């Protein structure tokens, strides 16, 4: 009997930690599965997906730049994936329909609340950025019932578009980077600026001694955003490695019906320098 086949699809893909993470999950939970990385041609994501499942593949994770294409490709989308406009987890149902979910938001929430004990209910939250990464996490974040969420972005119209899309029970507003001044309980960086060693134009008044900073990016060293927040006096700073592991665990649970112990995997990744 051959192992069940899973993979992550992206372009480029050689840097992906998903094969390592899922292999650790599989070993921990005694699942007979193989997980690889597939670099899809930029002009044939759909063909790559079709070929994988026609070979008997069981599930795919999707990373940049294909998450929006995956959203368009699926027959059924979860409640999380619908407003996110992106899909990062694919599988087929009993009738063979291609199904899509987005586990990024629940990964963020689980990392904050379970791994770090950060409360979200009744908190004032500032989210930096209005691109696909932020759109993917807003639904689960708002479901935690924070007191207020402000989306700040260089282009105000993009932030306002997200406010219009996700407007509901939680107080939600849009601002430009340079117009936000007061301190927040939690600041989430959803821009990719720290990957380039850059920062949005942020006012120091956003941070006080009770502020927690969370960068959805991660690296071998403290991100530029988290260094900035620490310099302004933030009480804690957290990077996005836990979000990566938690979103992977949610996909693993969707596929296998087993939830791995993410704390052990996170600990191992940290020990290996991630």
């Amino acid at each position: 009997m051959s192992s069940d086949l899973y993979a992550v699809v992206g372009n480029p893909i050689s840097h992906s930690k998903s094969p390592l993470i899922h292999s650790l999950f599989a070993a921990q939970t005694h699942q007979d599965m193989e997980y690889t990385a597939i670099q899809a041609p930029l002009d044939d994501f759909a063909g790559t997906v079709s070929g994988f499942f026609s070979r008997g593949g069981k599930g795919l994770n999707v990373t940049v730049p294909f998450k929006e294409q995956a959203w368009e490709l699926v027959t059924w989308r979860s409640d999380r994936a619908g407003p996110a406009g992106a899909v990062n987890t694919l599988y087929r149902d009993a009738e063979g329909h291609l199904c899509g979910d987005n586990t990024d938001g629940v990964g963020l929430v689980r990392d904050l609340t379970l791994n770090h004990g950060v409360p979200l209910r009744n908190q004032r939250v500032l989210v930096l950025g209005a691109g696909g990464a932020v759109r993917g996490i807003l639904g689960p974040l708002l479901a935690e019932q924070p007191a207020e969420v402000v989306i700040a972005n260089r282009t105000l119209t993009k932030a306002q578009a997200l406010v219009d899309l996700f407007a509901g029970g939680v107080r939600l507003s849009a601002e430009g980077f340079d117009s936000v001044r007061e301190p927040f309980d939690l600041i989430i960086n959803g821009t990719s600026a720290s990957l380039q060693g850059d920062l949005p134009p942020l006012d120091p008044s956003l941070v006080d001694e009770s502020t927690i900073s969370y960068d959805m990016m991660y690296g071998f060293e403290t991100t530029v955003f988290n260094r900035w927040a620490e310099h302004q006096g933030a009480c804690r700073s957290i990077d996005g490695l836990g979000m990566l592991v938690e979103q992977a665990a949610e996909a693993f649970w969707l596929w296998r019906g087993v939830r791995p112990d993410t704390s052990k995997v996170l600990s191992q990744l940290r020990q290996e320098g991630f």
Side-chain angles (χ1 to χ4, degrees):
M1 292 288 290
S2 58
S3 301
D4 290 341
L5 300 177
Y6 297 86
V8 59
V9 180
N11 187 332
I13 199 63
S14 61
H15 66 287
S16 176
K17 295 177 177 58
S18 292
L20 171 59
I21 291 170
H22 282 276
S23 68
L24 293 172
F25 288 165
Q28 179 194 114
T29 58
H30 309 291
Q31 298 293 299
D32 186 10
M33 56 182 284
E34 178 184 346
Y35 190 108
T36 60
I38 300 172
Q39 180 160 305
L42 293 174
D43 59 354
D44 195 23
F45 171 71
T48 301
V49 171
S50 176
F52 176 81
F53 283 107
S54 68
R55 295 191 299 274
K58 299 294 186 181
L60 285 172
N61 285 134
V62 182
T63 188
V64 291
F66 299 122
K67 291 184 180 183
E68 290 79 11
Q69 288 185 49
W71 190 91
E72 296 283 356
L73 191 63
V74 298
T75 303
W76 176 88
R77 303 180 191 101
S78 72
D79 290 342
R80 298 184 295 212
V87 156
N88 74 345
T89 303
L90 296 172
Y91 59 93
R92 279 182 166 171
D93 65 14
E95 287 75 42
H97 300 130
L98 187 63
C99 302
D101 207 333
N102 190 312
T103 66
D104 286 333
V106 72
L108 170 81
V109 167
R110 289 179 68 88
D111 188 37
L112 279 165
T113 59
L114 299 181
N115 295 338
H116 297 284
V118 176
L120 293 173
R121 187 176 180 85
N122 296 326
Q123 301 295 290
R124 296 185 66 251
V125 181
L126 174 63
V127 179
L128 305 175
V134 168
R135 182 171 170 172
I137 59 102
L138 276 177
L141 176 63
L142 293 169
E144 295 297 305
Q145 294 294 304
E148 177 186 11
V149 174
V150 175
I151 304 170
N153 193 55
R154 196 178 306 274
T155 306
L156 182 58
T157 53
K158 290 184 178 180
Q160 187 59 51
L162 291 185
V163 170
D164 295 341
L165 180 63
F166 286 93
V170 174
R171 184 181 172 193
L172 185 62
S173 61
E175 298 282 355
F177 284 137
D178 57 357
S179 62
V180 193
R181 290 287 186 269
E182 69 278 10
F184 287 80
D185 300 306
L186 173 66
I187 306 177
I188 299 172
N189 179 32
T191 75
S192 59
S194 30
L195 291 179
Q196 284 80 47
D198 198 7
L199 271 178
L202 303 173
D203 194 274
S205 65
L206 298 176
V207 178
D208 65 16
E209 67 278 0
S210 63
T211 301
I212 296 171
S213 68
Y214 188 99
D215 199 332
M216 290 167 60
M217 308 301 151
Y218 65 93
F220 293 108
E221 300 177 348
T222 304
T223 67
V224 171
F225 167 72
N226 277 339
R227 287 205 306 272
W228 173 84
E230 290 171 359
H231 184 70
Q232 310 312 318
C235 64
R236 294 176 66 188
S237 63
I238 304 166
D239 71 12
L241 184 62
M243 176 182 170
L244 176 70
V245 173
E246 293 295 344
Q247 65 81 24
E250 184 74 7
F252 192 89
W253 180 81
L254 288 170
W255 293 329
R256 308 298 293 185
V258 177
R259 190 172 291 281
D261 182 346
T262 54
S263 63
K264 293 181 179 179
V265 172
L266 260 172
S267 177
Q268 182 167 341
L269 293 174
R270 296 288 188 196
Q271 289 173 8
E272 293 181 11
F274 296 116

